[in-house]
Amino acid sequence: MIKVDDTIVLKKLELTDAPAIFNIIDSQRIYLGKWLPFVAFTKELTDSEQFVANVLNTPIQKLEFTYAIRKDDILIGIIGNKNTDKLNKKTEIGYWLSKDFQGQGIITKSVTKLCSFIFNKLRFNRVEIKCAVGNAPSSNVPKRLGFTFEGIERQGEWIKENVYYDVEVYSKLKSERFN
């Protein structure tokens, strides 16, 4: 568990989190589905259960960790690192948050804590964040945290059939300090 502040913690996913994950996705399908490709594939509770099971079965050697973002012990989103390259000591952070909790700095604070874990405990050198072009709430996070904008990955994210989004690529190095 990673404590973010007095009310927010990042807690490793548990199978019992699947219903809350599914309920957020199902009730915010249009909002979340605009930017997140997995929403289209999350049609039933069993889809969220399978997601959590896959996370729980990820070998520890991959050094990829997925957390429930909990505020006052209520699951409100997901954050984790993915696409880890152990040889080059780099990884990418992905996140999503219920629209009901947007604009409170939750993701910004959570990314800060997760970066600290990645740099200090995993001893990685580089963290990337990729955001679909036009997804201002998401891209404002790395901007606020002083990540370096590296450019646009053309058609870097598949959203649905024949629809790809360009993605903004940001990075932070261990040698760089947070603002």
Side-chain angles (χ1 to χ4, degrees), residues 69-95:
I69 303 170
R70 295 185 159 286
K71 182 172 182 173
D72 297 320
D73 207 32
I74 298 169
L75 190 145
I76 60 172
I78 303 288
I79 190 168
N81 67 303
K82 60 183 186 171
N83 300 326
T84 297
D85 178 345
K86 292 190 306 186
L87 178 65
N88 292 300
K89 298 184 184 274
K90 64 181 180 176
T91 193
E92 177 184 343
I93 291 178
Y95 46 79

mmCIF file with all atom_site columns, all heavy atoms in Angstrom, residues 69-95:
data_model
loop_
_atom_site.group_PDB
_atom_site.id
_atom_site.type_symbol
_atom_site.label_atom_id
_atom_site.label_alt_id
_atom_site.label_comp_id
_atom_site.label_asym_id
_atom_site.label_entity_id
_atom_site.label_seq_id
_atom_site.pdbx_PDB_ins_code
_atom_site.Cartn_x
_atom_site.Cartn_y
_atom_site.Cartn_z
_atom_site.occupancy
_atom_site.B_iso_or_equiv
_atom_site.pdbx_formal_charge
_atom_site.auth_seq_id
_atom_site.auth_comp_id
_atom_site.auth_asym_id
_atom_site.auth_atom_id
_atom_site.pdbx_PDB_model_num
ATOM 1   N N   . ILE A 1 69 ? -7.067  3.121  -6.617  1.00 0.00 ? 69 ILE A N   1
ATOM 2   C CA  . ILE A 1 69 ? -6.994  4.411  -5.934  1.00 0.00 ? 69 ILE A CA  1
ATOM 3   C C   . ILE A 1 69 ? -8.218  4.460  -5.024  1.00 0.00 ? 69 ILE A C   1
ATOM 4   O O   . ILE A 1 69 ? -9.356  4.363  -5.496  1.00 0.00 ? 69 ILE A O   1
ATOM 5   C CB  . ILE A 1 69 ? -7.029  5.590  -6.929  1.00 0.00 ? 69 ILE A CB  1
ATOM 6   C CG1 . ILE A 1 69 ? -5.894  5.481  -7.937  1.00 0.00 ? 69 ILE A CG1 1
ATOM 7   C CG2 . ILE A 1 69 ? -6.971  6.920  -6.173  1.00 0.00 ? 69 ILE A CG2 1
ATOM 8   C CD1 . ILE A 1 69 ? -5.996  6.466  -9.096  1.00 0.00 ? 69 ILE A CD1 1
ATOM 9   N N   . ARG A 1 70 ? -7.975  4.589  -3.729  1.00 0.00 ? 70 ARG A N   1
ATOM 10  C CA  . ARG A 1 70 ? -9.068  4.592  -2.759  1.00 0.00 ? 70 ARG A CA  1
ATOM 11  C C   . ARG A 1 70 ? -9.074  5.910  -1.999  1.00 0.00 ? 70 ARG A C   1
ATOM 12  O O   . ARG A 1 70 ? -8.038  6.353  -1.515  1.00 0.00 ? 70 ARG A O   1
ATOM 13  C CB  . ARG A 1 70 ? -8.922  3.438  -1.778  1.00 0.00 ? 70 ARG A CB  1
ATOM 14  C CG  . ARG A 1 70 ? -9.047  2.072  -2.426  1.00 0.00 ? 70 ARG A CG  1
ATOM 15  C CD  . ARG A 1 70 ? -9.010  0.967  -1.378  1.00 0.00 ? 70 ARG A CD  1
ATOM 16  N NE  . ARG A 1 70 ? -9.578  -0.270 -1.841  1.00 0.00 ? 70 ARG A NE  1
ATOM 17  C CZ  . ARG A 1 70 ? -10.878 -0.511 -2.010  1.00 0.00 ? 70 ARG A CZ  1
ATOM 18  N NH1 . ARG A 1 70 ? -11.767 0.414  -1.748  1.00 0.00 ? 70 ARG A NH1 1
ATOM 19  N NH2 . ARG A 1 70 ? -11.296 -1.679 -2.442  1.00 0.00 ? 70 ARG A NH2 1
ATOM 20  N N   . LYS A 1 71 ? -10.254 6.492  -1.937  1.00 0.00 ? 71 LYS A N   1
ATOM 21  C CA  . LYS A 1 71 ? -10.458 7.694  -1.118  1.00 0.00 ? 71 LYS A CA  1
ATOM 22  C C   . LYS A 1 71 ? -11.451 7.318  -0.032  1.00 0.00 ? 71 LYS A C   1
ATOM 23  O O   . LYS A 1 71 ? -12.559 6.858  -0.335  1.00 0.00 ? 71 LYS A O   1
ATOM 24  C CB  . LYS A 1 71 ? -10.998 8.855  -1.957  1.00 0.00 ? 71 LYS A CB  1
ATOM 25  C CG  . LYS A 1 71 ? -11.168 10.118 -1.135  1.00 0.00 ? 71 LYS A CG  1
ATOM 26  C CD  . LYS A 1 71 ? -11.506 11.317 -1.974  1.00 0.00 ? 71 LYS A CD  1
ATOM 27  C CE  . LYS A 1 71 ? -11.592 12.513 -1.041  1.00 0.00 ? 71 LYS A CE  1
ATOM 28  N NZ  . LYS A 1 71 ? -11.748 13.760 -1.754  1.00 0.00 ? 71 LYS A NZ  1
ATOM 29  N N   . ASP A 1 72 ? -11.036 7.490  1.214   1.00 0.00 ? 72 ASP A N   1
ATOM 30  C CA  . ASP A 1 72 ? -11.866 7.077  2.352   1.00 0.00 ? 72 ASP A CA  1
ATOM 31  C C   . ASP A 1 72 ? -12.332 5.639  2.163   1.00 0.00 ? 72 ASP A C   1
ATOM 32  O O   . ASP A 1 72 ? -13.491 5.312  2.393   1.00 0.00 ? 72 ASP A O   1
ATOM 33  C CB  . ASP A 1 72 ? -13.043 8.035  2.543   1.00 0.00 ? 72 ASP A CB  1
ATOM 34  C CG  . ASP A 1 72 ? -12.587 9.441  2.871   1.00 0.00 ? 72 ASP A CG  1
ATOM 35  O OD1 . ASP A 1 72 ? -11.620 9.592  3.642   1.00 0.00 ? 72 ASP A OD1 1
ATOM 36  O OD2 . ASP A 1 72 ? -13.200 10.401 2.350   1.00 0.00 ? 72 ASP A OD2 1
ATOM 37  N N   . ASP A 1 73 ? -11.435 4.800  1.702   1.00 0.00 ? 73 ASP A N   1
ATOM 38  C CA  . ASP A 1 73 ? -11.622 3.363  1.475   1.00 0.00 ? 73 ASP A CA  1
ATOM 39  C C   . ASP A 1 73 ? -12.635 3.014  0.377   1.00 0.00 ? 73 ASP A C   1
ATOM 40  O O   . ASP A 1 73 ? -13.095 1.889  0.286   1.00 0.00 ? 73 ASP A O   1
ATOM 41  C CB  . ASP A 1 73 ? -11.976 2.624  2.775   1.00 0.00 ? 73 ASP A CB  1
ATOM 42  C CG  . ASP A 1 73 ? -11.534 1.169  2.712   1.00 0.00 ? 73 ASP A CG  1
ATOM 43  O OD1 . ASP A 1 73 ? -10.512 0.874  2.064   1.00 0.00 ? 73 ASP A OD1 1
ATOM 44  O OD2 . ASP A 1 73 ? -12.248 0.317  3.276   1.00 0.00 ? 73 ASP A OD2 1
ATOM 45  N N   . ILE A 1 74 ? -12.963 3.975  -0.483  1.00 0.00 ? 74 ILE A N   1
ATOM 46  C CA  . ILE A 1 74 ? -13.850 3.724  -1.622  1.00 0.00 ? 74 ILE A CA  1
ATOM 47  C C   . ILE A 1 74 ? -12.997 3.735  -2.888  1.00 0.00 ? 74 ILE A C   1
ATOM 48  O O   . ILE A 1 74 ? -12.244 4.683  -3.123  1.00 0.00 ? 74 ILE A O   1
ATOM 49  C CB  . ILE A 1 74 ? -14.968 4.781  -1.714  1.00 0.00 ? 74 ILE A CB  1
ATOM 50  C CG1 . ILE A 1 74 ? -15.838 4.710  -0.463  1.00 0.00 ? 74 ILE A CG1 1
ATOM 51  C CG2 . ILE A 1 74 ? -15.796 4.605  -2.974  1.00 0.00 ? 74 ILE A CG2 1
ATOM 52  C CD1 . ILE A 1 74 ? -16.795 5.882  -0.322  1.00 0.00 ? 74 ILE A CD1 1
ATOM 53  N N   . LEU A 1 75 ? -13.122 2.698  -3.705  1.00 0.00 ? 75 LEU A N   1
ATOM 54  C CA  . LEU A 1 75 ? -12.379 2.630  -4.955  1.00 0.00 ? 75 LEU A CA  1
ATOM 55  C C   . LEU A 1 75 ? -12.910 3.696  -5.914  1.00 0.00 ? 75 LEU A C   1
ATOM 56  O O   . LEU A 1 75 ? -14.105 3.751  -6.184  1.00 0.00 ? 75 LEU A O   1
ATOM 57  C CB  . LEU A 1 75 ? -12.511 1.242  -5.590  1.00 0.00 ? 75 LEU A CB  1
ATOM 58  C CG  . LEU A 1 75 ? -11.588 0.982  -6.776  1.00 0.00 ? 75 LEU A CG  1
ATOM 59  C CD1 . LEU A 1 75 ? -11.145 -0.463 -6.785  1.00 0.00 ? 75 LEU A CD1 1
ATOM 60  C CD2 . LEU A 1 75 ? -12.222 1.344  -8.085  1.00 0.00 ? 75 LEU A CD2 1
ATOM 61  N N   . ILE A 1 76 ? -11.994 4.552  -6.405  1.00 0.00 ? 76 ILE A N   1
ATOM 62  C CA  . ILE A 1 76 ? -12.404 5.649  -7.287  1.00 0.00 ? 76 ILE A CA  1
ATOM 63  C C   . ILE A 1 76 ? -11.634 5.659  -8.611  1.00 0.00 ? 76 ILE A C   1
ATOM 64  O O   . ILE A 1 76 ? -11.915 6.475  -9.480  1.00 0.00 ? 76 ILE A O   1
ATOM 65  C CB  . ILE A 1 76 ? -12.263 7.019  -6.587  1.00 0.00 ? 76 ILE A CB  1
ATOM 66  C CG1 . ILE A 1 76 ? -10.813 7.285  -6.175  1.00 0.00 ? 76 ILE A CG1 1
ATOM 67  C CG2 . ILE A 1 76 ? -13.202 7.094  -5.385  1.00 0.00 ? 76 ILE A CG2 1
ATOM 68  C CD1 . ILE A 1 76 ? -10.553 8.689  -5.666  1.00 0.00 ? 76 ILE A CD1 1
ATOM 69  N N   . GLY A 1 77 ? -10.667 4.767  -8.756  1.00 0.00 ? 77 GLY A N   1
ATOM 70  C CA  . GLY A 1 77 ? -9.895  4.721  -9.989  1.00 0.00 ? 77 GLY A CA  1
ATOM 71  C C   . GLY A 1 77 ? -8.786  3.692  -9.904  1.00 0.00 ? 77 GLY A C   1
ATOM 72  O O   . GLY A 1 77 ? -8.675  2.953  -8.922  1.00 0.00 ? 77 GLY A O   1
ATOM 73  N N   . ILE A 1 78 ? -7.974  3.673  -10.942 1.00 0.00 ? 78 ILE A N   1
ATOM 74  C CA  . ILE A 1 78 ? -6.873  2.716  -11.065 1.00 0.00 ? 78 ILE A CA  1
ATOM 75  C C   . ILE A 1 78 ? -5.617  3.477  -11.508 1.00 0.00 ? 78 ILE A C   1
ATOM 76  O O   . ILE A 1 78 ? -5.696  4.395  -12.326 1.00 0.00 ? 78 ILE A O   1
ATOM 77  C CB  . ILE A 1 78 ? -7.185  1.632  -12.120 1.00 0.00 ? 78 ILE A CB  1
ATOM 78  C CG1 . ILE A 1 78 ? -8.473  0.884  -11.789 1.00 0.00 ? 78 ILE A CG1 1
ATOM 79  C CG2 . ILE A 1 78 ? -6.011  0.681  -12.307 1.00 0.00 ? 78 ILE A CG2 1
ATOM 80  C CD1 . ILE A 1 78 ? -8.380  -0.048 -10.624 1.00 0.00 ? 78 ILE A CD1 1
ATOM 81  N N   . ILE A 1 79 ? -4.479  3.055  -10.980 1.00 0.00 ? 79 ILE A N   1
ATOM 82  C CA  . ILE A 1 79 ? -3.183  3.596  -11.418 1.00 0.00 ? 79 ILE A CA  1
ATOM 83  C C   . ILE A 1 79 ? -2.172  2.466  -11.371 1.00 0.00 ? 79 ILE A C   1
ATOM 84  O O   . ILE A 1 79 ? -2.289  1.551  -10.545 1.00 0.00 ? 79 ILE A O   1
ATOM 85  C CB  . ILE A 1 79 ? -2.730  4.785  -10.533 1.00 0.00 ? 79 ILE A CB  1
ATOM 86  C CG1 . ILE A 1 79 ? -1.516  5.482  -11.133 1.00 0.00 ? 79 ILE A CG1 1
ATOM 87  C CG2 . ILE A 1 79 ? -2.484  4.331  -9.094  1.00 0.00 ? 79 ILE A CG2 1
ATOM 88  C CD1 . ILE A 1 79 ? -1.193  6.826  -10.467 1.00 0.00 ? 79 ILE A CD1 1
ATOM 89  N N   . GLY A 1 80 ? -1.202  2.519  -12.261 1.00 0.00 ? 80 GLY A N   1
ATOM 90  C CA  . GLY A 1 80 ? -0.160  1.504  -12.237 1.00 0.00 ? 80 GLY A CA  1
ATOM 91  C C   . GLY A 1 80 ? 0.908   1.783  -13.265 1.00 0.00 ? 80 GLY A C   1
ATOM 92  O O   . GLY A 1 80 ? 0.811   2.738  -14.032 1.00 0.00 ? 80 GLY A O   1
ATOM 93  N N   . ASN A 1 81 ? 1.919   0.926  -13.235 1.00 0.00 ? 81 ASN A N   1
ATOM 94  C CA  . ASN A 1 81 ? 2.947   1.049  -14.258 1.00 0.00 ? 81 ASN A CA  1
ATOM 95  C C   . ASN A 1 81 ? 2.858   -0.152 -15.188 1.00 0.00 ? 81 ASN A C   1
ATOM 96  O O   . ASN A 1 81 ? 2.405   -1.228 -14.800 1.00 0.00 ? 81 ASN A O   1
ATOM 97  C CB  . ASN A 1 81 ? 4.336   1.198  -13.632 1.00 0.00 ? 81 ASN A CB  1
ATOM 98  C CG  . ASN A 1 81 ? 4.804   -0.029 -12.900 1.00 0.00 ? 81 ASN A CG  1
ATOM 99  O OD1 . ASN A 1 81 ? 4.142   -0.501 -11.977 1.00 0.00 ? 81 ASN A OD1 1
ATOM 100 N ND2 . ASN A 1 81 ? 5.955   -0.557 -13.297 1.00 0.00 ? 81 ASN A ND2 1
ATOM 101 N N   . LYS A 1 82 ? 3.242   0.074  -16.430 1.00 0.00 ? 82 LYS A N   1
ATOM 102 C CA  . LYS A 1 82 ? 3.093   -0.945 -17.472 1.00 0.00 ? 82 LYS A CA  1
ATOM 103 C C   . LYS A 1 82 ? 4.183   -0.755 -18.517 1.00 0.00 ? 82 LYS A C   1
ATOM 104 O O   . LYS A 1 82 ? 4.930   0.218  -18.475 1.00 0.00 ? 82 LYS A O   1
ATOM 105 C CB  . LYS A 1 82 ? 1.707   -0.837 -18.124 1.00 0.00 ? 82 LYS A CB  1
ATOM 106 C CG  . LYS A 1 82 ? 1.436   0.522  -18.775 1.00 0.00 ? 82 LYS A CG  1
ATOM 107 C CD  . LYS A 1 82 ? 0.043   0.609  -19.336 1.00 0.00 ? 82 LYS A CD  1
ATOM 108 C CE  . LYS A 1 82 ? -0.126  1.921  -20.088 1.00 0.00 ? 82 LYS A CE  1
ATOM 109 N NZ  . LYS A 1 82 ? -1.372  1.963  -20.822 1.00 0.00 ? 82 LYS A NZ  1
ATOM 110 N N   . ASN A 1 83 ? 4.226   -1.680 -19.455 1.00 0.00 ? 83 ASN A N   1
ATOM 111 C CA  . ASN A 1 83 ? 5.218   -1.626 -20.543 1.00 0.00 ? 83 ASN A CA  1
ATOM 112 C C   . ASN A 1 83 ? 6.629   -1.435 -19.985 1.00 0.00 ? 83 ASN A C   1
ATOM 113 O O   . ASN A 1 83 ? 7.427   -0.658 -20.507 1.00 0.00 ? 83 ASN A O   1
ATOM 114 C CB  . ASN A 1 83 ? 4.871   -0.525 -21.553 1.00 0.00 ? 83 ASN A CB  1
ATOM 115 C CG  . ASN A 1 83 ? 3.523   -0.747 -22.187 1.00 0.00 ? 83 ASN A CG  1
ATOM 116 O OD1 . ASN A 1 83 ? 3.103   -1.871 -22.413 1.00 0.00 ? 83 ASN A OD1 1
ATOM 117 N ND2 . ASN A 1 83 ? 2.813   0.335  -22.460 1.00 0.00 ? 83 ASN A ND2 1
ATOM 118 N N   . THR A 1 84 ? 6.915   -2.164 -18.923 1.00 0.00 ? 84 THR A N   1
ATOM 119 C CA  . THR A 1 84 ? 8.197   -2.043 -18.239 1.00 0.00 ? 84 THR A CA  1
ATOM 120 C C   . THR A 1 84 ? 9.321   -2.657 -19.060 1.00 0.00 ? 84 THR A C   1
ATOM 121 O O   . THR A 1 84 ? 9.192   -3.752 -19.592 1.00 0.00 ? 84 THR A O   1
ATOM 122 C CB  . THR A 1 84 ? 8.107   -2.713 -16.858 1.00 0.00 ? 84 THR A CB  1
ATOM 123 O OG1 . THR A 1 84 ? 7.136   -1.995 -16.087 1.00 0.00 ? 84 THR A OG1 1
ATOM 124 C CG2 . THR A 1 84 ? 9.438   -2.699 -16.133 1.00 0.00 ? 84 THR A CG2 1
ATOM 125 N N   . ASP A 1 85 ? 10.411  -1.921 -19.132 1.00 0.00 ? 85 ASP A N   1
ATOM 126 C CA  . ASP A 1 85 ? 11.638  -2.365 -19.792 1.00 0.00 ? 85 ASP A CA  1
ATOM 127 C C   . ASP A 1 85 ? 12.710  -2.406 -18.702 1.00 0.00 ? 85 ASP A C   1
ATOM 128 O O   . ASP A 1 85 ? 13.332  -1.389 -18.385 1.00 0.00 ? 85 ASP A O   1
ATOM 129 C CB  . ASP A 1 85 ? 11.989  -1.383 -20.905 1.00 0.00 ? 85 ASP A CB  1
ATOM 130 C CG  . ASP A 1 85 ? 13.275  -1.712 -21.645 1.00 0.00 ? 85 ASP A CG  1
ATOM 131 O OD1 . ASP A 1 85 ? 14.076  -2.542 -21.147 1.00 0.00 ? 85 ASP A OD1 1
ATOM 132 O OD2 . ASP A 1 85 ? 13.499  -1.112 -22.709 1.00 0.00 ? 85 ASP A OD2 1
ATOM 133 N N   . LYS A 1 86 ? 12.889  -3.589 -18.114 1.00 0.00 ? 86 LYS A N   1
ATOM 134 C CA  . LYS A 1 86 ? 13.824  -3.724 -16.987 1.00 0.00 ? 86 LYS A CA  1
ATOM 135 C C   . LYS A 1 86 ? 15.265  -3.441 -17.405 1.00 0.00 ? 86 LYS A C   1
ATOM 136 O O   . LYS A 1 86 ? 16.025  -2.848 -16.648 1.00 0.00 ? 86 LYS A O   1
ATOM 137 C CB  . LYS A 1 86 ? 13.722  -5.115 -16.365 1.00 0.00 ? 86 LYS A CB  1
ATOM 138 C CG  . LYS A 1 86 ? 12.413  -5.357 -15.657 1.00 0.00 ? 86 LYS A CG  1
ATOM 139 C CD  . LYS A 1 86 ? 12.401  -6.630 -14.830 1.00 0.00 ? 86 LYS A CD  1
ATOM 140 C CE  . LYS A 1 86 ? 12.785  -7.851 -15.599 1.00 0.00 ? 86 LYS A CE  1
ATOM 141 N NZ  . LYS A 1 86 ? 12.632  -9.100 -14.838 1.00 0.00 ? 86 LYS A NZ  1
ATOM 142 N N   . LEU A 1 87 ? 15.639  -3.880 -18.598 1.00 0.00 ? 87 LEU A N   1
ATOM 143 C CA  . LEU A 1 87 ? 17.009  -3.686 -19.056 1.00 0.00 ? 87 LEU A CA  1
ATOM 144 C C   . LEU A 1 87 ? 17.372  -2.208 -19.097 1.00 0.00 ? 87 LEU A C   1
ATOM 145 O O   . LEU A 1 87 ? 18.442  -1.801 -18.652 1.00 0.00 ? 87 LEU A O   1
ATOM 146 C CB  . LEU A 1 87 ? 17.211  -4.321 -20.438 1.00 0.00 ? 87 LEU A CB  1
ATOM 147 C CG  . LEU A 1 87 ? 18.605  -4.145 -21.048 1.00 0.00 ? 87 LEU A CG  1
ATOM 148 C CD1 . LEU A 1 87 ? 19.657  -4.874 -20.209 1.00 0.00 ? 87 LEU A CD1 1
ATOM 149 C CD2 . LEU A 1 87 ? 18.624  -4.654 -22.473 1.00 0.00 ? 87 LEU A CD2 1
ATOM 150 N N   . ASN A 1 88 ? 16.454  -1.400 -19.620 1.00 0.00 ? 88 ASN A N   1
ATOM 151 C CA  . ASN A 1 88 ? 16.711  0.032  -19.746 1.00 0.00 ? 88 ASN A CA  1
ATOM 152 C C   . ASN A 1 88 ? 16.158  0.843  -18.583 1.00 0.00 ? 88 ASN A C   1
ATOM 153 O O   . ASN A 1 88 ? 16.187  2.077  -18.617 1.00 0.00 ? 88 ASN A O   1
ATOM 154 C CB  . ASN A 1 88 ? 16.157  0.539  -21.082 1.00 0.00 ? 88 ASN A CB  1
ATOM 155 C CG  . ASN A 1 88 ? 16.957  -0.028 -22.233 1.00 0.00 ? 88 ASN A CG  1
ATOM 156 O OD1 . ASN A 1 88 ? 18.157  0.201  -22.336 1.00 0.00 ? 88 ASN A OD1 1
ATOM 157 N ND2 . ASN A 1 88 ? 16.308  -0.813 -23.079 1.00 0.00 ? 88 ASN A ND2 1
ATOM 158 N N   . LYS A 1 89 ? 15.629  0.148  -17.571 1.00 0.00 ? 89 LYS A N   1
ATOM 159 C CA  . LYS A 1 89 ? 15.148  0.766  -16.327 1.00 0.00 ? 89 LYS A CA  1
ATOM 160 C C   . LYS A 1 89 ? 14.140  1.877  -16.582 1.00 0.00 ? 89 LYS A C   1
ATOM 161 O O   . LYS A 1 89 ? 14.273  3.000  -16.092 1.00 0.00 ? 89 LYS A O   1
ATOM 162 C CB  . LYS A 1 89 ? 16.321  1.265  -15.485 1.00 0.00 ? 89 LYS A CB  1
ATOM 163 C CG  . LYS A 1 89 ? 17.246  0.149  -15.057 1.00 0.00 ? 89 LYS A CG  1
ATOM 164 C CD  . LYS A 1 89 ? 18.342  0.659  -14.151 1.00 0.00 ? 89 LYS A CD  1
ATOM 165 C CE  . LYS A 1 89 ? 19.297  -0.435 -13.806 1.00 0.00 ? 89 LYS A CE  1
ATOM 166 N NZ  . LYS A 1 89 ? 18.907  -1.219 -12.678 1.00 0.00 ? 89 LYS A NZ  1
ATOM 167 N N   . LYS A 1 90 ? 13.113  1.521  -17.381 1.00 0.00 ? 90 LYS A N   1
ATOM 168 C CA  . LYS A 1 90 ? 12.062  2.502  -17.647 1.00 0.00 ? 90 LYS A CA  1
ATOM 169 C C   . LYS A 1 90 ? 10.703  1.817  -17.648 1.00 0.00 ? 90 LYS A C   1
ATOM 170 O O   . LYS A 1 90 ? 10.590  0.604  -17.867 1.00 0.00 ? 90 LYS A O   1
ATOM 171 C CB  . LYS A 1 90 ? 12.301  3.227  -18.963 1.00 0.00 ? 90 LYS A CB  1
ATOM 172 C CG  . LYS A 1 90 ? 12.243  2.357  -20.197 1.00 0.00 ? 90 LYS A CG  1
ATOM 173 C CD  . LYS A 1 90 ? 12.521  3.175  -21.441 1.00 0.00 ? 90 LYS A CD  1
ATOM 174 C CE  . LYS A 1 90 ? 12.474  2.312  -22.688 1.00 0.00 ? 90 LYS A CE  1
ATOM 175 N NZ  . LYS A 1 90 ? 12.653  3.113  -23.899 1.00 0.00 ? 90 LYS A NZ  1
ATOM 176 N N   . THR A 1 91 ? 9.675   2.596  -17.396 1.00 0.00 ? 91 THR A N   1
ATOM 177 C CA  . THR A 1 91 ? 8.307   2.103  -17.364 1.00 0.00 ? 91 THR A CA  1
ATOM 178 C C   . THR A 1 91 ? 7.358   3.252  -17.692 1.00 0.00 ? 91 THR A C   1
ATOM 179 O O   . THR A 1 91 ? 7.772   4.411  -17.762 1.00 0.00 ? 91 THR A O   1
ATOM 180 C CB  . THR A 1 91 ? 7.991   1.469  -15.987 1.00 0.00 ? 91 THR A CB  1
ATOM 181 O OG1 . THR A 1 91 ? 6.770   0.738  -16.073 1.00 0.00 ? 91 THR A OG1 1
ATOM 182 C CG2 . THR A 1 91 ? 7.904   2.515  -14.880 1.00 0.00 ? 91 THR A CG2 1
ATOM 183 N N   . GLU A 1 92 ? 6.104   2.910  -17.901 1.00 0.00 ? 92 GLU A N   1
ATOM 184 C CA  . GLU A 1 92 ? 5.067   3.897  -18.217 1.00 0.00 ? 92 GLU A CA  1
ATOM 185 C C   . GLU A 1 92 ? 3.999   3.843  -17.133 1.00 0.00 ? 92 GLU A C   1
ATOM 186 O O   . GLU A 1 92 ? 3.672   2.767  -16.636 1.00 0.00 ? 92 GLU A O   1
ATOM 187 C CB  . GLU A 1 92 ? 4.448   3.545  -19.580 1.00 0.00 ? 92 GLU A CB  1
ATOM 188 C CG  . GLU A 1 92 ? 3.321   4.434  -20.013 1.00 0.00 ? 92 GLU A CG  1
ATOM 189 C CD  . GLU A 1 92 ? 2.689   3.965  -21.328 1.00 0.00 ? 92 GLU A CD  1
ATOM 190 O OE1 . GLU A 1 92 ? 3.312   3.163  -22.057 1.00 0.00 ? 92 GLU A OE1 1
ATOM 191 O OE2 . GLU A 1 92 ? 1.558   4.397  -21.596 1.00 0.00 ? 92 GLU A OE2 1
ATOM 192 N N   . ILE A 1 93 ? 3.471   4.991  -16.780 1.00 0.00 ? 93 ILE A N   1
ATOM 193 C CA  . ILE A 1 93 ? 2.369   5.048  -15.817 1.00 0.00 ? 93 ILE A CA  1
ATOM 194 C C   . ILE A 1 93 ? 1.073   5.278  -16.582 1.00 0.00 ? 93 ILE A C   1
ATOM 195 O O   . ILE A 1 93 ? 0.995   6.139  -17.465 1.00 0.00 ? 93 ILE A O   1
ATOM 196 C CB  . ILE A 1 93 ? 2.574   6.179  -14.788 1.00 0.00 ? 93 ILE A CB  1
ATOM 197 C CG1 . ILE A 1 93 ? 3.740   5.841  -13.860 1.00 0.00 ? 93 ILE A CG1 1
ATOM 198 C CG2 . ILE A 1 93 ? 1.300   6.412  -13.972 1.00 0.00 ? 93 ILE A CG2 1
ATOM 199 C CD1 . ILE A 1 93 ? 4.046   6.907  -12.834 1.00 0.00 ? 93 ILE A CD1 1
ATOM 200 N N   . GLY A 1 94 ? 0.060   4.506  -16.221 1.00 0.00 ? 94 GLY A N   1
ATOM 201 C CA  . GLY A 1 94 ? -1.288  4.686  -16.755 1.00 0.00 ? 94 GLY A CA  1
ATOM 202 C C   . GLY A 1 94 ? -2.249  4.893  -15.600 1.00 0.00 ? 94 GLY A C   1
ATOM 203 O O   . GLY A 1 94 ? -2.001  4.415  -14.480 1.00 0.00 ? 94 GLY A O   1
ATOM 204 N N   . TYR A 1 95 ? -3.324  5.614  -15.850 1.00 0.00 ? 95 TYR A N   1
ATOM 205 C CA  . TYR A 1 95 ? -4.281  5.898  -14.786 1.00 0.00 ? 95 TYR A CA  1
ATOM 206 C C   . TYR A 1 95 ? -5.639  6.251  -15.363 1.00 0.00 ? 95 TYR A C   1
ATOM 207 O O   . TYR A 1 95 ? -5.751  6.669  -16.519 1.00 0.00 ? 95 TYR A O   1
ATOM 208 C CB  . TYR A 1 95 ? -3.795  7.050  -13.894 1.00 0.00 ? 95 TYR A CB  1
ATOM 209 C CG  . TYR A 1 95 ? -3.269  8.254  -14.653 1.00 0.00 ? 95 TYR A CG  1
ATOM 210 C CD1 . TYR A 1 95 ? -4.122  9.196  -15.218 1.00 0.00 ? 95 TYR A CD1 1
ATOM 211 C CD2 . TYR A 1 95 ? -1.900  8.427  -14.824 1.00 0.00 ? 95 TYR A CD2 1
ATOM 212 C CE1 . TYR A 1 95 ? -3.624  10.283 -15.917 1.00 0.00 ? 95 TYR A CE1 1
ATOM 213 C CE2 . TYR A 1 95 ? -1.393  9.509  -15.518 1.00 0.00 ? 95 TYR A CE2 1
ATOM 214 C CZ  . TYR A 1 95 ? -2.266  10.438 -16.064 1.00 0.00 ? 95 TYR A CZ  1
ATOM 215 O OH  . TYR A 1 95 ? -1.765  11.509 -16.768 1.00 0.00 ? 95 TYR A OH  1
#
